Coordinates of all heavy atoms in Angstrom, one line a residue:
S227 N -111.3 130.9 441.6 CA -112.0 132.0 442.1 C -112.7 131.7 443.5 O -113.1 132.6 444.2 CB -113.1 132.5 441.2 OG -114.0 131.4 440.8
S228 N -112.8 130.5 443.8 CA -113.4 130.1 445.1 C -112.9 128.7 445.6 O -112.2 128.1 444.8 CB -114.9 130.1 445.1 OG -115.4 128.8 444.7
C229 N -113.2 128.4 446.8 CA -112.8 127.1 447.4 C -113.9 126.1 447.4 O -113.9 125.1 448.1 CB -112.2 127.2 448.7 SG -110.4 127.7 448.7
E230 N -114.9 126.3 446.6 CA -116.1 125.4 446.6 C -115.6 124.0 446.3 O -114.8 123.8 445.4 CB -117.1 125.9 445.6 CG -118.2 126.8 446.2 CD -118.9 127.7 445.2 OE1 -119.4 127.1 444.2 OE2 -118.9 128.9 445.3
G231 N -116.2 123.1 447.0 CA -115.8 121.7 446.8 C -114.6 121.3 447.6 O -114.2 120.1 447.6
K232 N -114.0 122.2 448.3 CA -112.8 122.0 449.1 C -113.1 122.2 450.6 O -114.2 122.6 451.0 CB -111.7 122.8 448.7 CG -111.4 122.8 447.2 CD -110.0 123.0 446.9 CE -109.6 122.4 445.5 NZ -110.5 122.7 444.4
A233 N -112.1 121.9 451.5 CA -112.3 122.1 452.9 C -111.3 123.1 453.4 O -110.3 123.3 452.8 CB -112.0 120.7 453.6
A234 N -111.7 123.8 454.5 CA -110.7 124.7 455.1 C -109.4 124.1 455.4 O -109.3 122.9 455.9 CB -111.3 125.3 456.4
G235 N -108.3 124.8 455.0 CA -107.0 124.2 455.2 C -106.5 123.4 454.0 O -105.3 123.1 454.0
D236 N -107.3 123.1 453.0 CA -106.8 122.4 451.9 C -105.8 123.2 451.1 O -105.9 124.4 451.0 CB -108.0 122.1 450.9 CG -108.7 120.8 451.3 OD1 -108.4 120.2 452.3 OD2 -109.7 120.4 450.6
I237 N -104.8 122.6 450.5 CA -103.8 123.2 449.7 C -104.3 123.1 448.2 O -104.7 122.0 447.8 CB -102.4 122.6 449.8 CG1 -102.0 122.5 451.3 CG2 -101.4 123.3 448.9 CD1 -101.5 123.8 451.8
V238 N -104.2 124.1 447.5 CA -104.5 124.1 446.1 C -103.3 124.4 445.3 O -102.7 125.5 445.5 CB -105.6 125.2 445.7 CG1 -106.0 125.1 444.2 CG2 -106.9 125.0 446.6
T239 N -102.8 123.5 444.4 CA -101.6 123.8 443.6 C -102.0 124.0 442.2 O -102.8 123.3 441.6 CB -100.6 122.7 443.7 OG1 -101.2 121.5 443.2 CG2 -100.2 122.4 445.2
V240 N -101.5 125.1 441.6 CA -101.8 125.4 440.2 C -100.5 125.6 439.4 O -99.6 126.3 439.7 CB -102.6 126.8 440.1 CG1 -103.0 127.1 438.7 CG2 -103.8 126.7 441.1
K241 N -100.4 124.8 438.3 CA -99.2 124.8 437.5 C -98.9 126.1 436.9 O -99.9 126.8 436.5 CB -99.3 123.8 436.4 CG -99.1 122.3 436.8 CD -98.9 121.4 435.6 CE -98.6 120.0 436.1 NZ -98.7 119.0 435.0
Y242 N -97.6 126.5 436.8 CA -97.3 127.8 436.2 C -95.9 127.6 435.6 O -95.1 126.7 435.9 CB -97.3 128.9 437.1 CG -96.0 129.2 437.9 CD1 -95.2 130.2 437.6 CD2 -95.6 128.3 438.9 CE1 -94.0 130.4 438.3 CE2 -94.4 128.5 439.6 CZ -93.6 129.6 439.3 OH -92.5 129.7 439.9
E243 N -95.6 128.5 434.7 CA -94.2 128.7 434.1 C -94.0 130.2 434.1 O -94.9 131.0 434.0 CB -94.1 128.2 432.7 CG -94.3 126.7 432.6 CD -94.0 126.2 431.2 OE1 -94.2 126.9 430.2 OE2 -93.6 125.0 431.0
A244 N -92.7 130.6 434.2 CA -92.3 132.0 434.1 C -90.9 132.1 433.7 O -90.1 131.1 433.8 CB -92.5 132.7 435.5
Q245 N -90.5 133.3 433.2 CA -89.1 133.6 433.0 C -88.7 134.4 434.2 O -89.3 135.4 434.6 CB -88.9 134.4 431.7 CG -89.3 133.6 430.5 CD -89.2 134.5 429.2 OE1 -88.6 135.6 429.2 NE2 -89.8 134.0 428.1
Y246 N -87.6 134.0 434.8 CA -87.0 134.8 435.9 C -85.7 135.5 435.3 O -84.7 134.8 435.0 CB -86.6 133.9 437.1 CG -87.9 133.4 437.8 CD1 -88.4 132.1 437.5 CD2 -88.5 134.2 438.7 CE1 -89.5 131.7 438.2 CE2 -89.7 133.8 439.4 CZ -90.2 132.5 439.1 OH -91.3 132.1 439.7
W247 N -85.8 136.8 435.2 CA -84.6 137.6 434.7 C -83.8 138.0 435.9 O -84.3 138.7 436.8 CB -85.1 138.8 433.9 CG -85.7 138.4 432.5 CD1 -86.7 137.5 432.3 CD2 -85.3 138.8 431.3 NE1 -86.9 137.3 430.9 CE2 -86.0 138.2 430.3 CE3 -84.3 139.8 430.8 CZ2 -85.9 138.4 428.9 CZ3 -84.2 140.0 429.4 CH2 -85.0 139.3 428.5
I248 N -82.6 137.6 436.0 CA -81.8 137.7 437.2 C -80.6 138.6 437.0 O -79.8 138.5 436.1 CB -81.3 136.3 437.7 CG1 -82.6 135.4 438.0 CG2 -80.4 136.4 438.9 CD1 -82.3 134.0 438.3
Y249 N -80.5 139.6 437.9 CA -79.5 140.7 437.8 C -78.6 140.7 439.0 O -79.0 140.5 440.1 CB -80.1 142.1 437.7 CG -81.0 142.2 436.4 CD1 -82.3 141.7 436.4 CD2 -80.5 142.9 435.3 CE1 -83.1 141.9 435.2 CE2 -81.2 143.0 434.1 CZ -82.5 142.5 434.1 OH -83.3 142.6 433.0

Side-chain angles (χ1 to χ4, degrees):
S227 57
S228 86
C229 278
E230 268 160 55
K232 306 209 159 47
D236 276 2
I237 307 281
V238 180
T239 62
V240 185
K241 281 191 178 170
Y242 88 107
E243 294 185 333
Q245 293 175 16
Y246 292 97
W247 288 55
I248 299 174
Y249 296 81

